[in-house]
């Protein structure tokens, strides 16, 4: 016969004490707020006191009704379920009980998995069904069909027309979609916050005008490679969607200053804008955009070759852009030192700066960049052929937190620059493609294999990616030392380095060569290929890789026979000093 409630109440103290004694000890994280404590608190001690009481009752129904998990408030259950990352596990939770089902079905359908055709078919069947326990079409918030981009067409998406609460719609690369399918998804989607239709070349202004009419809360728009879209629809979007924060218009060749000016005047919350290869953009719109977008964090205007110094010189002198972190000016060929100086003056907290192929800039620009100090993490000066050792040395001294630096085709640089770069404590990636004057001395400095006299012994390098293609003076011994001293190395490019691409036993560890003019001299090691090359050299080389590889007394002037031979080979394969840096990241 079961005990009365009063008996249970009188025994509560002892039961609680025994429960405390048998519970796991309090962990260090227990002092934290519960909602940030653990990823999945399946071992939580909440309700353990009463759990002991419940197990004393022989009535199974009573145990179920008053189980600890049933007492948790819905918001706590939802939080616990939100830590489950597996869709299969969430589905199992849905099947446990009505309470669990009600509290985790939203999480399961918030972003339905459509990574293969079978899953997509199941989602379509559930969304389109009218005889369901839950209104699944109203639960979908994020829809991503990019995994099946080659199979998605206008008919496929018709079922999702009834999902009127979608907030994020990703259709990247769904090239078979037309305005009919895209517009059917947009019409009525009043809550849409982000739309990505990258690569949908058949989409026109018709679809984006629907965005302007329906999606007034839109914050992110990516229409990269949508080459048929014009100013007409984008101006309408800018005027209607005033909460717009992120805009990517890469390779939209029909866009002009009208679009950028509309964004500048109607979208005051703009954080990121990408205008790469929008070749009709001029100084006027860039000046207005930068001046009015005070929260702007990222600006990319690469390949916009109509931009001149005036785009930045016309910015009012009293303005400072503390939020700007990333600026990409790739191939803005008319930019000169005076523009770079203005940029640094107005954007003192730049973290990433890309000036690749800005051939007019000189050491004067680099000296201006040094004022960024510890804020600078990423700097790309590839093809800035007027830069010399003195500027690079000063850059390293002033900006000692650089993690990535690219100096490809800066042919005036010598070992002096690379030795200074090797002192950067956080350096992870370095590009020295076609820096023809560097030798094994640079490589050993990067490997930190030969510390300076009276300095502390240096540990292994933390370099992860090194680009040394067409550095024709490098030898096998130098690269071997680099491999042994850089255990984190995952990418090493040595295309055109004669000591490697002529060795059949070494190129077998390379990745497959591309079908272009570099094929005969291609030599790039990535991932496991780097580890296999290191193991092979350590096992099979007949010399000591730690031995002396050069004599400091050797002269550095004059051109060796190897240099002449390599130059002729580069000419024969069609590779000149002005060629693009063809390295793959």
């Amino acid at each position: 016969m079961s005990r009365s409630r009063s008996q249970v109440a009188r025994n509560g103290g002892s039961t609680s004490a025994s429960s405390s004694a048998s519970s796991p000890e309090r962990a260090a994280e227990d002092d934290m707020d519960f909602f940030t404590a653990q990823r999945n608190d399946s071992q939580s001690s909440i309700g353990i006191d009463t759990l002991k009481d419940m197990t004393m009752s022989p009535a199974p129904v009573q145990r179920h009704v008053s189980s600890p998990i049933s007492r948790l408030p819905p918001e706590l259950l939802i939080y616990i379920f939100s830590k489950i990352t597996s869709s299969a596990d969430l589905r199992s939770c849905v099947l446990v009980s009505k309470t669990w089902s009600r509290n985790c079905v939203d999480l399961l359908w918030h972003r339905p998995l459509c990574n293969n055709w079978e899953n997509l078919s199941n989602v379509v069947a559930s969304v389109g069904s009218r005889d369901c326990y839950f209104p699944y079409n109203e639960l979908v918030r994020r829809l991503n069909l990019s995994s099946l981009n080659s199979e998605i067409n206008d008919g496929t998406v018709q079922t999702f027309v009834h999902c009127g609460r979608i907030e994020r719609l990703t259709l990247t690369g769904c090239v078979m979609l037309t305005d009919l399918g895209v517009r059917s998804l947009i019409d009525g989607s009043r809550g849409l916050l982000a739309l990505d239709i990258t690569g949908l070349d058949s989409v026109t202004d018709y679809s984006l005008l629907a965005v302007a009419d329906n999606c007034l809360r839109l914050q992110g728009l990516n229409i990269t490679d949508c080459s048929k879209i014009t100013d007409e629809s984008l101006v309408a979007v800018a005027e209607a969607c005033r909460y717009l924060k992120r805009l990517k218009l890469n390779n939209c060749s029909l866009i002009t200053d009208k679009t950028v000016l509309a964004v500048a005047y109607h979208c005051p919350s703009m954080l990121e804008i990408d205008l790469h290869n929008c070749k009709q953009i001029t100084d006027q719109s860039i000046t207005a955009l930068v001046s009015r977008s005070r929260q702007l964090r990222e600006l990319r205007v690469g390949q916009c070759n109509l931009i001149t110094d005036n785009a930045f010189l016309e910015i009012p002198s009293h303005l400072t852009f503390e939020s700007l972190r990333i600026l990409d000016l790739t191939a803005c060929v008319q930019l000169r030192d005076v523009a770079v100086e203005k940029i640094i003056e107005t954007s003192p907290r730049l973290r990433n700066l890309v000036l690749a192929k800005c051939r007019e800039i000189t050491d004067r620009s680099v000296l201006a960049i040094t004022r960024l100090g510890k804020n600078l993490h990423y700097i790309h000066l590839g093809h800035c052929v007027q830069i010399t050792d003195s500027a690079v040395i000063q850059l390293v001294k002033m900006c000692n937190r650089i993690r990535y630096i690219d100096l490809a085709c800066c042919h005036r640089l010598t070992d002096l620059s690379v030795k200074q770069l090797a002192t950067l404590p956080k350096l992870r990636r370095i590009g020295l493609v076609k820096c023809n004057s560097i030798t094994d001395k640079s490589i050993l400095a990067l490997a930190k294999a030969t510390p300076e006299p009276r300095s502390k012994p240096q540990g292994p390098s933390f370099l992860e990616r090194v680009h040394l293609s067409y550095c024709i003076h490098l030898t096998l011994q130098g690269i071997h030392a680099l491999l042994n001293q850089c255990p984190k190395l995952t990418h090493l490019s040595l295309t055109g380095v004669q000591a490697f691409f002529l060795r059949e036993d070494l190129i077998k560890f390379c990745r497959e060569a591309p079908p272009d003019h570099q094929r005969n001299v291609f030599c790039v090691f990535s991932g496991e290929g780097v580890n296999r090359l290191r193991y092979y050299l350590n096992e099979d080389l007949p010399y000591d890789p730690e031995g002396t590889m050069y004599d400091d007394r050797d002269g550095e002037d004059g051109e060796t026979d190897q240099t002449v031979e390599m130059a002729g080979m580069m000419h024969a394969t069609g590779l000149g000093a002005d060629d693009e840096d063809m390295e793959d990241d």
Side-chain angles (χ1 to χ4, degrees):
M1 184 175 183
S2 60
R3 291 184 292 179
S4 66
R5 293 183 182 178
S6 60
Q7 287 179 298
V8 174
R10 287 194 297 271
N11 293 335
S14 60
T15 306
S16 177
S18 63
S19 174
S20 301
S22 61
S23 295
E25 291 187 5
R26 189 176 177 87
E29 296 88 345
D30 287 352
D31 289 333
M32 301 170 59
D33 183 77
F34 175 79
F35 290 97
T36 59
Q38 296 182 14
R39 180 176 171 155
N40 187 353
D41 196 16
S42 58
Q43 308 252 344
S44 174
S45 60
I46 291 180
I48 290 294
D49 298 1
T50 54
L51 178 60
K52 291 290 185 180
D53 296 341
M54 303 306 300
T55 56
M56 296 174 66
S57 171
V61 175
Q62 180 69 14
R63 285 201 302 270
H64 173 74
V65 171
S66 56
S67 63
I69 195 68
S70 68
R71 299 179 186 176
L72 293 179
E75 58 269 21
L76 198 52
L77 279 173
I78 292 172
Y79 174 78
I80 294 173
F81 292 142
S82 70
K83 298 302 179 181
I84 301 176
T85 57
S86 168
S87 297
D89 290 342
L90 275 175
R91 184 175 180 276
S92 297
C93 291
V94 169
L95 300 176
V96 170
S97 67
K98 290 184 178 180
T99 300
W100 280 36
S101 182
R102 282 193 299 269
N103 288 299
C104 70
V105 69
D106 279 351
L107 296 170
L108 185 62
W109 281 87
H110 178 81
R111 182 173 55 188
L113 189 63
C114 301
N115 60 339
N116 58 55
W117 196 256
E118 180 182 359
N119 287 345
L120 178 61
S121 299
N122 292 335
V123 170
V124 168
S126 298
V127 169
S129 176
R130 296 183 178 181
D131 186 20
C132 296
Y133 189 78
F134 295 105
Y136 295 115
N137 61 306
E138 296 181 9
L139 301 179
V140 178
R141 296 291 192 276
R142 300 185 182 185
L143 182 61
N144 187 340
L145 302 178
S146 58
S147 297
L148 298 170
N149 51 23
S150 61
E151 303 175 61
I152 300 296
N153 56 39
D154 293 339
T156 310
V157 301
Q158 290 307 306
T159 302
F160 295 107
V161 170
H162 304 291
C163 299
R165 302 179 67 184
I166 293 178
E167 296 175 353
R168 298 179 186 273
L169 179 60
T170 304
L171 303 172
T172 305
C174 298
V175 293
M176 297 176 65
L177 282 176
T178 67
D179 283 327
L180 177 63
V182 174
R183 178 140 189 168
S184 65
L185 291 173
I186 293 172
D187 282 334
S189 297
R190 302 288 178 180
L192 193 65
L193 300 177
L195 174 64
D196 188 341
I197 53 173
T198 298
L200 274 63
D201 190 48
S202 59
V203 170
T204 68
D205 289 336
Y206 181 70
S207 292
L208 283 198
L209 289 173
V211 172
D213 292 337
N214 291 273
C215 312
L216 305 186
R217 298 173 56 200
L218 192 72
Q219 296 181 16
L221 177 63
N222 189 344
I223 58 170
T224 297
D225 294 325
C226 295
S227 57
K228 295 181 181 178
I229 291 177
T230 70
D231 290 331
E232 178 188 358
S233 61
L234 284 172
V235 169
V237 169
E239 292 176 349
C241 308
R242 293 176 176 256
Y243 298 104
L244 202 60
K245 294 181 179 180
R246 294 173 176 85
L247 184 60
K248 291 185 178 294
L249 308 177
N250 313 33
N251 301 318
C252 294
S253 55
L254 300 180
I255 291 172
T256 71
D257 285 340
K258 291 181 180 179
T259 291
V260 182
L261 288 171
V263 170
Y265 284 99
H266 298 288
C267 304
S269 301
M270 186 60 61
L271 299 177
E272 302 170 10
I273 185 167
D274 193 336
L275 301 169
H276 179 82
N277 206 32
C278 297
K279 294 186 179 295
Q280 298 189 58
I281 302 299
T282 68
D283 294 340
Q284 177 192 8
S285 59
I286 297 301
T287 302
L289 178 67
V290 175
S291 299
R292 299 182 67 87
S293 303
R294 303 304 302 278
Q295 301 179 49
L296 194 64
R297 295 194 305 226
E298 180 177 332
L299 174 62
R300 298 181 184 273
V301 289
Q303 306 291 339
C304 297
N305 48 27
L306 295 181
I307 294 176
T308 70
D309 296 339
N310 290 331
F312 301 97
L313 296 180
E314 295 297 324
I315 296 174
S317 57
H318 66 281
L319 294 181
T320 302
F321 308 100
E322 296 285 345
S323 298
L324 192 60
R325 295 291 185 273
I326 299 174
L327 180 60
D328 186 346
L329 299 168
T330 300
C332 293
V333 294
Q334 298 190 59
L335 288 183
R336 296 175 298 174
D337 293 330
V338 64
V340 177
E341 290 174 336
K342 178 68 172 182
I343 289 168
I344 302 303
E345 177 186 341
T346 58
S347 308
R349 302 188 66 185
L350 271 175
R351 186 183 63 200
N352 292 18
L353 180 59
V354 182
L355 295 170
K357 301 179 184 176
C358 297
R359 302 176 190 271
E360 296 298 318
I361 70 172
T362 67
D363 286 354
R364 180 178 161 189
S365 290
V366 180
L367 294 177
I369 294 170
T370 61
R371 298 206 297 271
L372 294 174
K374 65 181 182 180
N375 293 316
L376 186 65
H377 291 177
Y378 180 114
I379 178 73
H380 197 322
L381 298 169
H383 297 262
C384 298
V385 295
Q386 301 187 56
I387 293 174
T388 66
D389 285 333
S390 60
V392 173
I393 290 172
Q394 192 63 25
L395 177 68
V396 173
K397 289 180 178 178
M398 301 297 292
C399 305
N400 62 357
R401 293 191 179 182
I402 293 175
R403 291 167 168 77
Y404 177 108
I405 187 167
D406 197 317
L407 298 165
C409 298
C410 296
H411 57 80
R412 297 188 182 187
L413 301 183
T414 68
D415 291 331
L416 293 176
S417 289
V418 184
K419 287 180 179 179
Q420 193 68 38
L421 288 167
T423 66
L424 290 169
K426 296 182 179 293
L427 188 63
R428 297 295 182 267
R429 304 183 180 187
I430 185 169
L432 298 168
V433 173
K434 296 183 184 177
C435 293
N436 295 326
S437 298
I438 70 171
T439 68
D440 281 349
K441 295 180 182 180
S442 293
I443 305 308
L444 292 177
L446 288 174
K448 294 181 171 60
T450 55
E452 294 295 327
R454 291 179 292 182
S455 66
K456 295 181 180 179
Q458 302 185 45
S461 168
F462 292 102
L463 280 171
E464 298 171 359
R465 301 174 72 88
V466 180
H467 301 267
L468 299 168
S469 294
Y470 303 105
C471 295
I472 57 179
H473 294 294
L474 303 184
T475 69
L476 182 60
Q477 292 92 330
I479 300 301
H480 189 189
L482 182 70
L483 286 166
N484 283 333
Q485 293 296 323
C486 300
K488 295 182 179 294
L489 198 65
T490 59
H491 182 97
L492 177 63
S493 60
L494 296 167
T495 297
V497 177
Q498 193 173 15
F500 275 79
F501 76 82
L502 293 178
R503 292 274 303 266
E504 292 290 338
D505 60 326
L506 300 182
I507 62 174
K508 66 183 180 182
F509 304 117
C510 294
R511 67 187 193 196
E512 187 177 356
D516 59 21
H517 58 277
Q518 293 188 108
R519 187 173 184 85
N520 292 333
V521 294
F522 184 81
C523 191
V524 175
F525 303 91
S526 292
E528 189 58 31
V530 175
N531 295 329
R532 292 170 60 197
L533 176 65
R534 181 189 294 116
Y535 178 81
Y536 176 78
L537 293 178
N538 288 336
E539 290 292 318
D540 295 344
L541 278 186
Y543 59 82
D544 179 9
E546 302 298 333
T548 301
M549 301 176 198
Y550 58 84
D551 189 342
D552 285 332
R553 297 170 296 178
D554 290 345
E556 296 182 359
D557 296 329
E559 193 175 47
T560 64
D561 293 340
Q562 181 187 16
T563 304
V564 175
E565 180 181 355
M566 190 62 221
M569 188 171 299
M570 290 171 64
H571 178 73
T573 57
L575 294 168
D578 295 330
D579 283 343
E580 302 276 341
D581 176 10
M582 301 294 288
E583 298 302 330
D584 294 322
D585 289 332

